[in-house]
Amino acid sequence: MPKSLVIYYSLEGNTALIAKAVAETLQADLLELQPVKNIPNKGFFKFFWGGKQVMMKEQPELQPFSLKPAEYDLIVLGTPVWASSYVPAFRTFLAQYPLKDKQVGLFCCYAGNEGKTIEALKTELSGNIILGNIGFLNPAKTPEASAKTAKEWAKSLLENAGKK
Ligand SMILES: Cc1cc2nc3c(=O)[nH]c(=O)nc-3n(C[C@H](O)[C@H](O)[C@H](O)COP(=O)(O)O)c2cc1C
């Protein structure tokens, strides 16, 4: 079993649900990225502020954590889709912890269209081995089925980890 870490950001619980299922299968540590100042999670303004942060390529300050990403072999990144891309918290994370030569899995959660989220993350992670990626449409609406799919996907990452 590779030493695994699942890193995620979740405003409304969808990405957290998948991150936990993946971490269970991989026996991974979990790291939730938490901005010091989160955007409002209700009403129209979340789209406004979240969208603006993505467009302006902002790097919101993250709450400190003690895990050391460099110590892991397999790293899964999970993000909601915001304005067709990954969330600003990952922009901060990847600037502060550039990953290299890791085996990586990528997943996103979305409500309509995945946009360029996975492609954009792959570009940021070009010095790593991408084992697989997957998108989940509104997973919290069907939590059991979504967790099952997430666990199967996590198993496929482990299979690929040996091959790539
Ligand atoms: C600021 C903001 C922007 C969003 N932009 C998109 C989008 O471009 N495409 C899409 O399909 N869903 C979009 N969504 C919906 C989320 O991706 C979706 O609800 C996701 O499951 C939320 O994950 P979470 O519950 O872990 O926060 C957006 C949500 C927010 C808050």
Side-chain angles (χ1 to χ4, degrees):
M1 202 74 153
K3 187 172 160 64
S4 305
L5 176 65
V6 176
I7 309 172
Y8 71 101
Y9 168 90
S10 188
L11 186 67
E12 296 172 292
N14 290 271
T15 315
L17 169 86
I18 302 301
K20 284 169 191 163
V22 170
E24 208 177 292
T25 301
L26 297 178
Q27 295 173 25
D29 291 332
L30 265 175
L31 170 57
E32 180 180 9
L33 300 182
Q34 292 180 310
V36 171
K37 264 177 72 181
N38 224 332
I39 66 163
N41 70 351
K42 286 202 177 63
F44 167 78
F45 277 101
K46 70 181 177 190
F47 296 107
F48 179 80
W49 289 114
K52 173 186 156 288
Q53 284 189 353
V54 175
M55 301 296 181
M56 305 301 285
K57 298 195 184 323
E58 287 179 21
Q59 293 184 13
E61 187 189 343
L62 300 178
Q63 288 182 22
F65 52 83
S66 52
L67 284 173
K68 295 194 168 43
E71 290 178 355
Y72 292 83
D73 309 314
L74 169 54
I75 300 184
V76 174
L77 277 60
T79 178
V81 173
W82 279 14
S84 302
S85 194
Y86 57 87
V87 291
F90 269 108
R91 190 174 291 283
T92 313
F93 175 81
L94 291 170
Q96 291 178 352
Y97 300 88
L99 302 181
K100 200 162 174 355
D101 297 329
K102 300 292 182 194
Q103 308 199 77
V104 173
L106 302 172
F107 76 86
C108 66
C109 298
Y110 62 100
N113 194 313
E114 289 184 59
K116 295 195 189 314
T117 310
I118 298 292
E119 286 76 5
L121 278 175
K122 281 185 179 169
T123 304
E124 291 297 325
L125 294 162
S126 56
N128 299 276
I129 302 157
I130 310 295
L131 298 176
N133 59 267
I134 188 169
F136 292 87
L137 174 63
N138 292 325
K141 286 191 180 164
T142 52
E144 284 93 17
S146 301
K148 186 164 176 274
T149 306
K151 287 179 179 179
E152 280 160 13
W153 177 70
K155 275 188 210 148
S156 79
L157 293 181
L158 286 178
E159 284 161 17
N160 287 344
K163 290 180 213 146
K164 293 202 183 180

